[in-house]
Each structure stands twice: as C-alpha cells, then as structure tokens.
Amino acid sequence: MIYELRRYTLRPGRRETLLSLFEREFVETQEAVGIDVIGQFRDLDDPDAFPWIRAFPNMADRKAALTAFYTGPAWQAHREAANATMIDSTDVLLLRPAGGRLPRWDRPPLGSGEAASSLWVATIYHVEPGFEAFFADEVASLLAAGGTPPVACFATEHAENTYPLLPVRTGEEVFVWFARFEREADERVVDVPALAQRLTAPPRRLRLTPTPRSTLR
C-alpha cells in the first residue's frame, strides 16, 4: 500500500469551511475511483491546518485514481471553493507501511455532527537509512512500556511521483509513527534518550482529533 499524509495550510478561520466541504463532497467521490480516504483531522496546535490520510494499492493505481478524481465532476464542481480556503497544499509525505496497521471504524453517515473524543498523535522523525530496524528493536517497546504503544509505522516511499500535478516532499528520509489515546487528557510523551543520536532534525508531533466522518476514531 501507498499512503499520503497530507497537511494543508489554510487561510485564517477557514478550516471549518473546508472540513464541511470535504466531508460532504470529497469522501465518497474519492473512494468511488479507488482512493481509500482513511482519516481527516483537526490539528490541536494549529487551527489553520487540515491534516488527512489517504491510501492506494500501488503507485500505478495511485496515478489512475488521482487522474480520475481530479478530472472528475466532484473536484471540477468544488475545486474553486476548496482552493479558496488554502494557502499551501504541498506538505505531503509519500509513505509505505513499516509496522503495525491503522485500525478502522465504520464511517459515520453524511451529516453526522459528532466527532470522536480520541486523540491521535503522529510523530515524524527525520532519519538515516536503517532507522526502521532500530525503532523496532530498541524504541517501540520503550514507548509501549511508557503508555504510548505505536499503533502503526510508516517510512518514506521513494518511488517517483506518478501524479506530478500534486507535489510531494522529496529528498528526505522520514519515519512516522502513530499513537492513539481515548481522550486528549490521556496523552503521554515518553522520552527515549537513544533517539537523539539517530535523528537528523528535531521530531515533529501532530496532535490530531478526528473529524465527524473519519474512519480513524
């Protein structure tokens, strides 16, 4: 599977406008052409950001699905309204699975207004090659013992971008792991000193709450 972790920078105060539009017009219409819309979130630390995750079976299917969606009727009808909410849409990590699996819940129906109370934390490391084995052997168990077990892990997918009309970040090696807490108050941060010498940049933590129609809940 190929995953995209997308994080849009929005115009001030426009997040709810985009979320409403996205959940009404861009969920089923992406899935109809073969895109797995996995999760949409509010970023607790940035009210003008919209992070979300989607997936594809492989890079060839990604090209076909994105071509179908972005030339299709839903995007053509609503793209101006969506783009009007955004400052930047190029913060996109192309990822492959590197351990674990994101659990899925049934998607609430259109018009559902109640979001889940859970908190998802995506931690992004910039790393050197070989980090995956180090994380699995020496880090994951320490995180679990501290109350933040990694639910799923991902690493940079270095395949050529098969749909260049949508840029992705290149020239970097990242490792991303997700933790889930039942409530925001349950969040924990575990210090793993051995990580310091393995990272090439400071880690980044995205504290995410699911939107009403996210299948990550």
Side-chain angles (χ1 to χ4, degrees):
M1 292 289 288
I2 302 296
Y3 292 79
E4 292 179 356
L5 174 56
R6 310 183 67 85
R7 186 175 183 275
Y8 298 161
T9 300
L10 306 180
R11 300 186 185 281
R14 302 302 302 276
R15 182 169 69 183
E16 297 309 310
T17 300
L18 180 59
L19 287 182
S20 176
L21 177 63
F22 188 98
E23 299 213 322
R24 186 179 68 247
E25 303 292 350
F26 297 151
V27 174
E28 282 80 5
T29 52
Q30 288 190 78
E31 293 184 333
V33 297
I35 300 170
D36 187 3
V37 180
I38 294 175
Q40 308 90 251
F41 305 96
R42 293 178 174 91
D43 186 325
L44 288 182
D45 301 311
D46 187 347
D48 299 319
F50 173 44
W52 62 292
I53 305 168
R54 64 184 174 187
F56 311 83
N58 52 57
M59 292 300 287
D61 286 343
R62 175 179 178 270
K63 178 181 180 179
L66 293 178
T67 300
F69 177 72
Y70 288 105
T71 60
W75 181 249
Q76 294 300 312
H78 301 288
R79 63 179 180 179
E80 290 187 8
N83 287 334
T85 68
M86 302 180 198
I87 295 173
D88 179 73
S89 60
T90 63
D91 185 356
V92 181
L93 293 173
L94 196 62
L95 303 169
R96 57 175 175 79
R101 186 174 183 179
L102 291 172
R104 306 290 290 275
W105 284 256
D106 291 338
R107 189 186 307 284
L110 185 65
S112 176
E114 184 175 351
S117 60
S118 60
L119 171 69
W120 289 81
V121 178
T123 302
I124 303 171
Y125 296 146
H126 284 77
V127 300
E128 298 288 353
F131 182 86
E132 288 178 53
F134 166 73
F135 186 89
D137 294 341
E138 301 188 37
V139 178
S141 60
L142 296 176
L143 294 172
T148 60
V151 174
C153 303
F154 301 89
T156 297
E157 170 57 63
H158 290 291
E160 182 180 356
N161 183 4
T162 51
Y163 194 77
L165 290 175
L166 291 183
V168 301
R169 288 161 55 180
T170 59
E172 54 189 307
E173 189 83 30
V174 302
F175 184 91
V176 183
W177 63 278
F178 285 83
R180 180 185 180 274
F181 305 93
E182 286 292 336
R183 300 175 304 276
E184 183 182 346
D186 297 333
E187 180 184 6
R188 297 183 182 182
V189 179
V190 179
D191 182 34
V192 182
L195 277 170
Q197 60 186 352
R198 294 281 187 157
L199 304 184
T200 61
R204 182 182 187 186
R205 297 178 78 251
L206 304 180
R207 302 169 63 243
L208 310 173
T209 57
T211 62
R213 302 197 68 214
S214 176
T215 67
L216 295 184
R217 303 186 65 75

